């Protein structure tokens, strides 16, 4: 990351950059900063953008070979192409990339065994944009609120993260809403968060399962209906419920490890580990495996026209409450 920042600051560029990982906000931030630094206000004549898995490699090569117009560089941004996960002829082309061409790759997922990744990592700059851990996220929240003349207690910040999720762009959006909502007051409270912040769908799924696990079927079905009113499809909800049970089963199996170790192995934000541990404690491992089987069975019956999707998820919630 430091080398990337130095390139942007000093305007001494590598020919290849790769920004990858889960944190979309940081990828966009550094992509935009790089583009601005390289182009130095020149028009789009020296800039080309390619996106998606159907990206034309021949077109990329032709663009790279075209000399820049009244500028030192021709900049090419390639986003969400999947080229860093599969074999690509582009890897063989890059050693001959003209000195005037700079390519920025922006990807969510990569394969570090990929030939293209290895070449960029060796000859350019590859930076993983990770989602923040609990401590960093709370520091970020505190700093941003302080800049706006606000403050927040640590337990309230924990609650905020549970509601807003781990996406930095979403955290920023929700903070900005809270700042406006609490005009004239200094402290952000849990009541403010409940009043104005959008609970991410994963948070609603978590609450729904919690209610079902405690036998509160009415409340669980109420949250389910709320999700349906938000135009979430029953099958999307089923997918997230299945994912939740997978996480709970893994969390239970990893008991004894630290929060950071659990987060790393399951690939979840560290600040969510405690609530997963608590929820996993409401079930036995056998019950979680049985509920995962129920999820699979529900999907199987739906896909074969044996069961209405909405009713299928309702039956699943009933079985959760019974267990």
């Amino acid at each position: 990351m430091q080398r990337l920042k130095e390139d942007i600051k000093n305007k001494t560029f590598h020919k290849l950059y790769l920004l990858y990982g889960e944190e979309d906000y940081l990828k966009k931030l550094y992509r935009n900063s790089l583009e601005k630094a390289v182009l130095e206000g020149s028009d789009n004549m020296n800039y080309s953008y390619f996106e998606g898995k159907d990206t034309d490699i021949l077109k990329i090569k032709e663009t790279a070979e075209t000399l820049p117009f009244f500028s030192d560089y021709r900049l090419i941004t390639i986003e969400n192409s999947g080229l860093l996960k599969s074999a690509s002829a582009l890897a063989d082309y890059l050693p001959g990339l003209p000195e005037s061409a700079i390519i920025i790759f922006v990807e969510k997922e990569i394969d570090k065994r990929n030939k293209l990744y290895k070449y960029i990592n060796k000859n350019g700059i590859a930076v993983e944009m990770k989602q923040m851990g609990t401590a960093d996220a709370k520091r970020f929240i505190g700093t941003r609120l302080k800049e706006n003349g606000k403050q927040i207690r640590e337990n309230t910040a924990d609650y905020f993260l549970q509601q807003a999720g781990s996406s930095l762009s979403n955290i920023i959006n929700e903070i900005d809403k809270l700042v406006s909502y609490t005009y004239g007051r200094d402290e952000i409270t849990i009541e403010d968060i409940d009043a104005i912040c959008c609970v991410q769908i994963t948070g609603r799924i978590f609450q729904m399962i919690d209610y079902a696990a405690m036998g509160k079927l009415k409340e669980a079905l109420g949250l389910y209906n709320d999700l349906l009113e938000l135009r979430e499809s029953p099958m999307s909800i089923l997918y997230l419920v299945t994912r939740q049970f997978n996480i709970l089963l893994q969390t239970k199996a990893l008991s004894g490890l630290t929060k950071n170790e659990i987060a790393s192995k399951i690939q979840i934000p560290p600040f969510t580990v405690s609530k997963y541990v608590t929820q996993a404690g409401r079930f036995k491992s056998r019950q979680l495996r049985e509920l995962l089987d129920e999820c699979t069975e529900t999907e199987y019956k739906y896909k074969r026209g044996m069961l209405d999707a909405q009713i299928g998820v309702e039956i699943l919630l009933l079985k959760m409450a019974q267990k």
Side-chain angles (χ1 to χ4, degrees), residues 194-286:
D194 285 339
I196 199 68
C197 290
C198 296
V199 180
Q200 296 299 289
I201 182 172
T202 50
R204 292 176 185 265
I205 294 293
F206 189 93
Q207 292 172 354
M208 186 175 74
I209 291 175
D210 235 10
Y211 280 135
M214 292 186 288
K216 297 181 178 180
L217 182 60
K218 181 179 178 181
E219 288 84 350
L221 289 173
L223 278 173
Y224 177 51
N225 288 324
D226 287 345
L227 290 170
L228 293 176
E229 288 179 9
L230 291 171
R231 298 185 182 278
E232 293 292 338
S233 73
M235 282 300 100
S236 296
I237 295 169
L238 178 63
Y239 167 78
L240 290 171
V241 169
T242 304
R243 176 181 178 275
Q244 183 88 346
F245 283 135
N246 267 311
I247 291 174
L248 294 176
L249 191 57
Q250 292 178 74
T251 300
K252 212 167 184 65
L254 295 171
S255 60
L257 298 183
T258 66
K259 289 181 181 179
N260 286 335
E261 288 171 334
I262 293 173
S264 176
K265 287 181 178 295
I266 305 180
Q267 294 298 297
I268 56 175
F271 63 80
T272 64
V273 172
S274 293
K275 68 176 187 176
Y276 281 120
V277 169
T278 299
Q279 190 170 79
R282 303 189 188 281
F283 299 93
K284 295 178 181 178
S285 295
R286 171 184 55 79

Side-chain angles (χ1 to χ4, degrees), residues 47-286:
Y47 175 70
S48 299
Y49 180 79
F50 298 87
E51 183 179 19
K53 298 188 183 300
D54 295 326
T55 296
D56 189 335
I57 293 178
L58 180 59
K59 184 67 175 176
I60 292 172
K61 293 178 181 178
E62 290 175 351
T63 304
E65 297 290 336
T66 304
L67 289 173
F69 186 73
F70 290 120
S71 177
D72 292 332
Y73 303 108
R74 176 164 295 282
L75 178 63
I76 301 170
T77 297
I78 304 170
E79 196 154 358
N80 299 322
S81 66
L83 293 173
L84 278 295
K85 289 185 68 179
S86 59
S88 169
L90 194 58
D92 297 324
Y93 169 75
L94 291 183
L97 187 69
E99 290 297 323
S100 59
I102 294 176
I103 301 180
I104 303 171
F105 294 88
V106 184
E107 301 286 338
K108 194 175 192 72
E109 297 178 348
I110 63 157
D111 183 345
K112 291 188 176 181
R113 299 167 298 179
N114 179 276
K115 186 177 180 181
L116 182 55
Y117 168 79
K118 289 180 179 179
Y119 185 84
I120 297 171
N121 191 47
K122 181 179 179 181
N123 299 282
I125 293 181
V127 182
E128 182 178 7
M129 303 296 180
K130 297 180 179 180
Q131 291 185 336
M132 292 186 294
T134 308
D136 288 338
K138 287 195 287 190
R139 274 195 294 270
F140 178 85
I141 292 166
T143 300
R144 193 166 181 93
L145 286 174
K146 187 176 180 180
E147 291 170 352
N148 287 277
K150 304 290 181 181
Q151 59 185 359
I152 190 169
R153 297 176 189 270
E154 186 170 0
N155 66 322
T156 308
D158 285 327
Y159 182 77
F160 171 78
L161 285 170
Q162 291 173 14
Q163 305 306 306
S166 56
S167 165
L168 188 52
S169 59
N170 193 63
I171 287 173
I172 291 170
N173 287 337
E174 297 303 320
I175 287 175
D176 290 346
K177 285 162 60 177
L178 283 167
V179 169
S180 298
Y181 180 74
T182 56
Y183 178 78
R185 286 193 286 116
D186 294 338
E187 185 175 348
I188 304 295
T189 66
I190 288 176
E191 289 73 22
D192 296 328
I193 295 168
D194 285 339
I196 199 68
C197 290
C198 296
V199 180
Q200 296 299 289
I201 182 172
T202 50
R204 292 176 185 265
I205 294 293
F206 189 93
Q207 292 172 354
M208 186 175 74
I209 291 175
D210 235 10
Y211 280 135
M214 292 186 288
K216 297 181 178 180
L217 182 60
K218 181 179 178 181
E219 288 84 350
L221 289 173
L223 278 173
Y224 177 51
N225 288 324
D226 287 345
L227 290 170
L228 293 176
E229 288 179 9
L230 291 171
R231 298 185 182 278
E232 293 292 338
S233 73
M235 282 300 100
S236 296
I237 295 169
L238 178 63
Y239 167 78
L240 290 171
V241 169
T242 304
R243 176 181 178 275
Q244 183 88 346
F245 283 135
N246 267 311
I247 291 174
L248 294 176
L249 191 57
Q250 292 178 74
T251 300
K252 212 167 184 65
L254 295 171
S255 60
L257 298 183
T258 66
K259 289 181 181 179
N260 286 335
E261 288 171 334
I262 293 173
S264 176
K265 287 181 178 295
I266 305 180
Q267 294 298 297
I268 56 175
F271 63 80
T272 64
V273 172
S274 293
K275 68 176 187 176
Y276 281 120
V277 169
T278 299
Q279 190 170 79
R282 303 189 188 281
F283 299 93
K284 295 178 181 178
S285 295
R286 171 184 55 79

Side-chain angles (χ1 to χ4, degrees), residues 245 249 282-293 322-323:
F245 283 135
L249 191 57
R282 303 189 188 281
F283 299 93
K284 295 178 181 178
S285 295
R286 171 184 55 79
Q287 291 173 323
L288 289 171
R289 283 191 290 269
E290 288 174 355
L291 287 167
L292 274 171
D293 289 341
Q322 289 174 339
K323 287 183 182 297

